[in-house]
Amino acid sequence: MKKNYGFTLVEMMVAISIFGIVMTVATPPLIKFLRRHQSKDAAGIVMGALRKARSSAIHEKNDYIVFFDLDRSNVIILDDDGGGNGDPASGGFDPTARGNGRADAGEKVYGPYQLPSGQVFGMIAGSTDEEGAYVTKPVTFSGSPPRVIFHPNGSSNEEGLIFVMPELEFRQQEKGTDRMMVVRRSTGSVSVQRPNYD
């Protein structure tokens, strides 16, 4: 007697229905987990750019500037050396362009370093810094666009905070999805900390 192996149509429909229910229940938490993981990646991109700028400023003995483009969710690094690799003997060097805070002919620009898709410079309303003062913007450095300057001694021109988070959670103001980076003025060191909320 010949045996037939396989599934009946009813068994297939039941299996597909169960799979559909599992996917319906599991997909939203999985997507949320992936967005939170991407916010760590976004913080890593910003931290990498800041550390590269600081290290290059020390090594090359001239200012490096990190610009934050809040609308495009990216960062750009400028080697503000006056062109010609900062060498006064070079024909491409312009002493008036050195350290002037903008990209001039012959100066190197690195980036833009883009945040992962769906990630923005954003924060939760009511966030506070380490001293308990309210933070009113996701990048607290001055300038338009906001910028931080690293000097040859490793210090920065000012102390500041940078917040990144998933755009959807930013719009919904969902706590716990944001990452806060702190740049110290005296040392130029960069660290990631947990934001505080009022």
Side-chain angles (χ1 to χ4, degrees):
M1 189 170 161
K2 187 176 177 183
K3 291 186 178 179
N4 289 327
Y5 294 99
F7 299 102
T8 65
L9 181 59
V10 173
E11 291 170 331
M12 288 294 290
M13 294 302 289
V14 169
I16 290 170
S17 297
I18 291 171
F19 179 74
I21 292 169
V22 169
M23 290 306 295
T24 301
V25 172
T27 300
L30 178 62
I31 290 171
K32 190 172 190 177
F33 168 79
L34 291 174
R35 281 198 305 266
R36 287 182 181 201
H37 184 71
Q38 283 183 329
S39 67
K40 289 182 183 178
D41 292 343
I45 288 168
V46 175
M47 295 267 296
L50 292 167
R51 288 177 174 164
K52 173 183 172 47
R54 180 179 180 273
S55 173
S56 297
I58 294 168
H59 177 72
E60 297 177 20
K61 297 183 177 27
N62 61 268
D63 288 349
Y64 266 74
I65 306 172
V66 179
F67 294 92
F68 299 88
D69 188 333
L70 305 185
D71 295 330
R72 293 184 180 90
S73 299
N74 65 38
V75 295
I76 296 170
I77 302 173
L78 168 65
D79 179 0
D80 200 10
D81 66 356
N85 291 323
D87 181 4
S90 169
F93 179 74
D94 178 3
T96 61
R98 185 179 179 111
N100 67 359
R102 64 177 183 269
D104 298 295
E107 293 181 333
K108 294 180 190 142
V109 176
Y110 302 93
Y113 300 103
Q114 191 70 42
L115 299 185
S117 178
Q119 300 292 314
V120 296
F121 292 105
M123 53 175 279
I124 302 297
S127 296
T128 59
D129 62 16
E130 298 165 312
E131 286 79 36
Y134 286 105
V135 181
T136 58
K137 51 189 178 177
V139 178
T140 63
F141 296 108
S142 60
S144 181
R147 68 199 67 182
V148 58
I149 303 169
F150 290 97
H151 303 299
N153 65 359
S155 67
S156 66
N157 65 318
E158 60 183 300
E159 191 155 313
L161 305 173
I162 304 114
F163 291 84
V164 293
M165 65 185 301
E167 183 176 13
L168 181 63
E169 280 76 359
F170 169 63
R171 291 178 188 206
Q172 297 172 348
Q173 288 293 287
E174 186 175 328
K175 294 180 180 178
T177 59
D178 49 341
R179 301 274 183 257
M180 179 180 80
M181 287 148 282
V182 180
V183 178
R184 302 285 179 206
R185 181 177 185 175
S186 59
T187 62
S189 65
V190 185
S191 62
V192 177
Q193 297 182 10
R194 270 198 183 280
N196 300 312
Y197 311 110
D198 183 24

